[in-house]
Amino acid sequence: MFYAYIQHHKTNENVSNIVIIGNGISGISAARWVRKLSDHTITVISSETDHFFSRTALMYIYMGHMRYEDTKPYEDWFWKKNRINLVNDHVDAIGFDSKQLTLRSGKTISYDKLVLALGSKSNMFGWPGQDLDAVGGLYSFQDLEKMEKHSQGLKRAVICGGGLIGIEMAEMFHSRHIPVTMLVREQSYWDNVLPLEESQMISQHILDSDIDLRLGVNLGEIKDDGNGKAKSVIVKETGEEIPCGYVGLTAGVSPNVGWLKESGLNIGRGIQVNSHLETNMPDVYAIGDCAEQTDVKPGRRGVEAIWYTGRMMGETVAYNIVGKPVAYDPGLWFNSAKFIDIEYQVYGEVPGKLPEHLKTIYWQHPDGDKSIRINYHVDDYTVKGFNLFGIRYRHEVCKKWILDNTHIEEVLQNLGLANFDPEFYEEFESNIINVYNQTESKNISLKTKRGLSKVLSFLK
Amino acid sequence: MKVIQYIGIGMFIIALLIFTAILGIGHHELAPNDINIDNQYHKEAIIEAGQDAGLFDSKIGGVAFISKVKSVIKAAQKNLETKAETSLPDGVSEWDYRIGDGWIGSYTNSMVSGTARGPVQNKPWLFFLLTFGLASLGGLLFIIPKFSEHPGIKHNGIYHHSLTRGLKWNMKMVFLIPTIIGVILFGFLKDGNALWPIITVVLALLISYFVFYRQDSKENNPQRDSSPINTGWLGVIAGIYFIGFYILLYWAPAYITNWIDMVSPISKLLSGNAASQWFLYGLMYCFIVVVMGVRMLTKYQHNKYQRIRTLSVMFFQTGIAFLLPEILVRLNQPYYDFKNIWPLNYSFFFKYNIDNLMSSGGLGIFMLVWGIILIVIGVPVITYFFGKRWYCSWVCGCGGLAETLGDPFRQLSDKSLRAWKYERFIIHGVLVFAVVMTGFVLVHYFTGKSHLLGLSSDSMKAWYGFLIGAGFSGVVGTGFYPLMGNRVWCRFGCPLAAYLGLVQKFKSRFRITTNGGQCISCGNCSTYCEMGIDVRSYAQKGQDIVRSSCVGCGVCSAVCPRGVLRLENASGDIATRTVPERAIHITEDQVTLLT
Ligand SMILES: Cc1cc2nc3c(=O)[nH]c(=O)nc-3n(C[C@H](O)[C@H](O)[C@H](O)COP(=O)(O)OP(=O)(O)OC[C@H]3O[C@@H](n4cnc5c(N)ncnc54)[C@H](O)[C@@H]3O)c2cc1C
Ligand code: SF4
Ligand code: SF4
């Protein structure tokens, strides 16, 4: 079952001093769960902002949907009430033998147990001009401030790199009526992750939103205006020069571990951890974007820089810290995003290129803003994955079907159980069933429509 | 497209300027015969004083006329007072003879209404077109081109815009404190009774102590701020305009005679009577709900729940709340709004209403029974099945205005825990007040006892109407949209919402479910919850949401970029799925390991 109750037995052993570097979702989840489970002293250090905010909501601050204040998931009194000490400072060095941290302010902090939740940083591939003014990624609050600073009177922005952050940055500028050009290496938007049909649908949606999307091109160089500020971008393939006042570099992120390379920690792509999230140093754990699993579960990657895994690792590490060993298990893969106006959800196995052991059915709305894809096993027809665009499906239901190895036809007949769209929304389950009937020459039909009561009994 | 929209805004602004300016044009002409006052002594005294003051000889401009009328009434009051001491006519009680302070307002209104002369009275339709017509047309020209935009969330720039980004804390206080003090003082001066103002102030201070002082100063707990970095000045202007409008409407309708006269022909078409300020208000309400309702339809092209809900409030406002009662009057039936439920409709059990319905034949009795059935059966049963949303965001007029005119301001509701504490004290306090007041009124009605425990039911009734009915639901409820969001009244004040909320909290199938682990804690849901519910705090824990205040507007679900929230009706597992300690991120076998 997906949900479970936790019984809170606070551990009564000696109180130790837990220090967490990083106040993102992983560090804060760790702190919250350590507090729920124990009375240890908790200190969270970060040099980005005083309080935890939702990094995923950075775009909404820029677009004027929210204030920074609104992106903080907890009110400021929360920390004191839960005895979580917050320190706004930068950790310059870690003494793993002395168990001591050196901060930029000159202070030192010692720890009994240390959690590294350092997050990521934007990739920079050594492009000429990448260090100029008015060039930046989108990761930190400071990146946002930089974008804001250069937005006044901005005539055009060029964004290099597709992916989720690139499209968010494009939407941000677009929301302020600033023309945007996107240079994307792939032949179709994010086609290394999305199956072709979905990728093309999103490419079209981007173009329809008046964003100048250029596919199959790379950034050549960024030109200096003579005062150390970017003035234009040269496209590598064509040599075309695109004048612009801001260059966004969004070619992915990588673990923020550069400063620890020589520290003795085992570092591959990220800080290497075992299934209990322990590093090679005693009493030091790593979680979130900066961690790299050495014991990678099938179908997963060593570094998974997403919100949900950070949250799960934070929770898991807390159990390990309070002496209740739990192995990290991210469970079934799920993720979600939004491409301008089209929401995206994925559950289970839906790779960009269909592997041999999977079959797929796909339905797309003629308006080009909704689609459903379901993958199942070629041999035993058990369902393996769901990809949804512009339609919401229930996490719990999809997960249960996949984990229970449910037959595709049973899933299709009850597909209404999965539908999570608001009331009165048109239901498209029959459409995808028709696709199945055509491809498999079957004649099944929808038996269960949307509705919570049926879902609850199904989940029991 | 852009050009049309600018023209639309231009038309709207011109209409608003004309609307405001016509209050200052024209003059009044009053002849002694026009004075419509039943009390003969009062009437004679007023005519006499009027002749002395030259009230009947000249054409006098609006504001000057009203103050002259007031001074004439006061002079007559004085004269009668002196006469009462020397030459009180036989068999007349002194109280009938003298003009009590309570009469001044209504005599002023009756002497002012119908006496205005000028362009508005000569050409009411022209002015109606130049104000209502032009404003609606301008609004629609601005709104309709939005149908061609991509369907999707339309919140770009809300916190950059001067109208919608809200007011800073200090600026809010500049509105809040004078409004509260002003309302209480005004009521006190009007009726000279200090009891209710003192009770109100003491309660307000107590609540503030418990919520504000203890939380903020004693425990030094910083609360989530609901202000922008800089005050939006258009918001301030809009707030002043709204508040000013309500003050005139409720307490000084004599000053808006021109507006009332302007819509009188429409009232005559509908009910056959001349318009009152309430007709004006109802008509404006309909225009606003319809025009801003169309705006909601453009904003939520992709969201069928929002569109149907908006059509529903548009229908209930124009059809059931406005047109039907007018038509009933035309048919010589009682004025009755079939969807207005006690205790929101606080005068439902007042003597005049009960008597009026009882004496109006079968239909009147049906209305009385219908109203009671709604209270005792309708509310609990429908709320059990669908939650309080069936009323608050599908039917109710206050809700209708909040969801249309108020939609641009929904993000301004305060999401702090502190605000929630205030809310619970205040809204349940109002419910208690409404119930007690109605109890007194009913005891009075059935037993004839006008006083209970030393409190007079009439004064309680009057103060409820003044403080809650006018001050809270009107001046603060709508006037404060640009300050505190569009549901100030529904969230903090409405006794019916409190009642519906109790049912929703303790016995309803309605809840908002969260979609497993998909929440990214972005905060859109909380920001756009007009009731100030911190939706995210539930969603990020995977917890189903059952909150008494949720009006089921569905906007949290609409704005969530990850498809996390769904409004649903089903009673299964409601107790277990709403607990906060659900481990959604670790599988069960691992958790059982621990215990
Ligand atoms: C624009 C954007 C949108 C995103 N959208 C999504 C999404 O929709 N869904 C999704 O699943 N994921 C999304 N992500 C990814 C997700 O936000 C990250 O995976 C997640 O925030 C990582 O959390 P974390 O706690 O591991 O690290 P972080 O949130 O990066 O926190 C690390 C913190 O540690 C601080 N720090 C690092 N080193 C030091 C030091 N030496 N001293 C002091 N402080 C230090 C950093 O300043 C930072 O504040 C998005 C990311 C971005 C940038
Ligand atoms: S919780 Fe959601 S549905 Fe309820 S009032 Fe708030 S925004 Fe509306
Ligand atoms: S809007 Fe959706 S994703 Fe954002 S905090 Fe609310 S529920 Fe979570």
Side-chain angles (χ1 to χ4, degrees), chain B residues 214-469:
Chain B
R214 286 202 35 176
Q215 190 82 32
D216 253 31
S217 312
K218 217 160 152 203
E219 293 162 20
N220 187 23
N221 285 337
Q223 298 288 321
R224 187 188 298 285
D225 194 359
S226 59
S227 328
I229 298 165
N230 293 308
T231 286
W233 289 102
L234 279 180
V236 174
I237 294 170
I240 292 175
Y241 199 92
F242 287 160
I243 292 172
F245 173 82
Y246 276 94
I247 290 177
L248 293 178
L249 180 76
Y250 282 114
W251 298 314
Y255 292 92
I256 54 174
T257 307
N258 276 343
W259 289 348
I260 300 172
D261 288 349
M262 176 174 79
V263 297
S264 230
I266 300 173
S267 178
K268 287 189 180 130
L269 276 180
L270 288 171
S271 67
N273 300 333
S276 67
Q277 83 247 46
W278 305 121
F279 181 85
L280 166 77
Y281 186 42
L283 189 69
M284 274 181 81
Y285 217 104
C286 290
F287 270 79
I288 292 172
V289 167
V290 168
V291 173
M292 291 300 278
V294 175
R295 174 184 168 279
M296 279 298 275
L297 298 180
T298 67
K299 184 171 171 185
Y300 285 108
Q301 284 177 69
H302 59 299
N303 191 313
K304 220 168 166 187
Y305 181 79
Q306 297 301 332
R307 304 185 83 181
I308 298 182
R309 186 173 72 83
T310 303
L311 290 170
S312 170
V313 294
M314 287 158 83
F315 164 75
F316 276 100
Q317 174 52 37
T318 49
I320 307 297
F322 180 72
L323 286 176
L324 187 56
E326 297 293 333
I327 292 169
L328 285 170
V329 170
R330 159 134 275 174
L331 302 175
N332 280 325
Q333 298 294 339
Y335 180 99
Y336 190 77
D337 176 354
F338 279 90
K339 60 151 193 47
N340 203 355
I341 306 178
W342 178 91
L344 174 60
N345 179 10
Y346 60 90
S347 58
F348 185 74
F349 291 108
F350 286 4
K351 184 170 167 19
Y352 78 82
N353 190 49
I354 299 182
D355 288 346
N356 181 20
L357 294 181
M358 301 259 268
S359 64
S360 303
L363 187 62
I365 304 282
F366 170 74
M367 289 166 173
L368 195 61
V369 174
W370 169 259
I372 293 171
I373 286 180
L374 277 182
I375 301 164
V376 295
I377 301 173
V379 165
V381 170
I382 313 180
T383 308
Y384 169 74
F385 282 106
F386 304 110
K388 82 197 244 187
R389 57 183 171 150
W390 76 270
Y391 194 75
C392 297
S393 55
W394 284 73
V395 171
C396 179
C398 306
L401 193 70
E403 296 292 344
T404 50
L405 176 66
D407 178 72
F409 305 106
R410 58 171 56 249
Q411 67 284 354
L412 302 176
S413 60
D414 190 331
K415 278 83 183 181
S416 64
L417 189 65
R418 182 177 64 201
W420 186 12
K421 288 186 180 167
Y422 268 118
E423 173 191 318
R424 284 185 294 189
F425 275 113
I426 300 173
I427 192 169
H428 295 116
V430 173
L431 177 62
V432 170
F433 189 11
V435 170
V436 170
M437 181 273 289
T438 305
F440 271 61
V441 167
L442 285 177
V443 168
H444 190 175
Y445 184 81
F446 287 114
T447 67
K449 274 195 203 144
S450 68
H451 283 68
L452 268 183
L453 309 166
L455 291 172
S456 130
S457 78
D458 283 342
S459 115
M460 196 185 282
K461 199 170 89 173
W463 274 94
Y464 185 92
F466 175 73
L467 282 180
I468 310 296

Side-chain angles (χ1 to χ4, degrees), chain A residues 109-367:
Chain A
I109 288 187
S110 43
Y111 64 83
D112 295 325
K113 290 186 177 166
L114 178 67
V115 180
L116 301 172
L118 308 172
S120 302
K121 55 183 182 29
S122 305
N123 285 335
M124 298 284 164
F125 291 120
W127 295 289
Q130 69 180 26
D131 296 322
L132 290 171
D133 198 14
V135 177
L138 174 60
Y139 189 82
S140 65
F141 192 73
Q142 287 69 29
D143 290 338
L144 183 76
E145 289 179 319
K146 188 163 160 187
M147 275 178 73
E148 186 69 60
K149 187 178 117 199
H150 290 285
S151 290
Q152 199 69 31
L154 184 59
K155 296 279 186 319
R156 174 168 294 276
V158 174
I159 294 170
C160 311
L164 292 171
I165 298 182
I167 185 70
E168 286 191 2
M169 205 183 211
E171 191 181 348
M172 288 160 79
F173 284 121
H174 184 254
S175 78
R176 295 210 189 168
H177 309 290
I178 297 168
V180 191
T181 300
M182 263 183 105
L183 308 182
V184 174
R185 187 183 53 186
E186 289 80 25
Q187 291 304 324
S188 177
Y189 175 76
W190 218 33
D191 65 1
N192 48 342
V193 176
L194 298 180
L196 189 64
E197 289 88 350
E198 283 97 322
S199 159
Q200 284 174 342
M201 181 170 88
I202 296 301
S203 302
Q204 192 55 47
H205 182 61
I206 297 173
L207 289 169
D208 290 346
S209 306
D210 296 327
I211 290 167
D212 174 24
L213 174 67
R214 315 269 184 99
L215 293 165
V217 289
N218 283 280
L219 168 63
E221 79 170 282
I222 304 168
K223 289 242 169 181
D224 188 337
D225 72 347
N227 299 316
K229 191 171 173 247
K231 70 160 188 192
S232 65
V233 156
I234 307 283
V235 180
K236 194 168 172 190
E237 283 71 16
T238 60
E240 184 193 350
E241 178 168 359
I242 307 172
C244 61
Y246 195 85
V247 182
L249 300 177
T250 57
V253 298
S254 46
N256 174 20
V257 292
W259 63 291
L260 291 169
K261 283 259 155 69
E262 311 297 321
S263 66
L265 272 178
N266 278 351
I267 292 182
R269 286 197 54 221
I271 304 168
Q272 293 183 328
V273 292
N274 63 18
S275 65
H276 291 273
L277 305 174
E278 295 158 333
T279 67
N280 60 319
M281 293 292 174
D283 294 326
V284 178
Y285 304 80
I287 56 174
D289 278 20
C290 71
E292 179 185 352
Q293 309 293 324
T294 46
D295 174 18
V296 184
K297 297 258 166 9
R300 308 292 296 229
R301 280 165 299 141
V303 176
E304 284 177 338
I306 60 168
W307 187 262
Y308 315 110
T309 50
R311 194 172 56 189
M312 289 187 242
M313 284 187 229
E315 203 170 318
T316 309
V317 83
Y319 281 93
N320 288 299
I321 286 173
V322 301
K324 298 175 170 179
V326 166
Y328 171 61
D329 175 10
L332 183 79
W333 170 255
F334 70 96
N335 199 5
S336 59
K338 193 170 179 186
F339 305 99
I340 310 181
D341 286 323
I342 301 185
E343 287 173 19
Y344 157 61
Q345 295 183 333
V346 53
Y347 301 105
E349 213 181 328
V350 190
K353 258 214 176 76
L354 195 70
E356 279 183 359
H357 69 278
L358 289 184
K359 279 175 119 176
T360 192
I361 44 174
Y362 178 75
W363 168 83
Q364 185 175 319
H365 194 282
D367 291 351

Side-chain angles (χ1 to χ4, degrees), chain B residues 410 510 512 525 528-531 533 535 549-557 567:
Chain B
R410 58 171 56 249
F510 172 73
I512 302 176
C525 51
Y528 288 94
C529 175
E530 54 193 355
M531 298 304 283
I533 298 173
V535 183
S549 61
C550 170
V551 291
C553 65
V555 168
C556 53
S557 160
L567 279 56

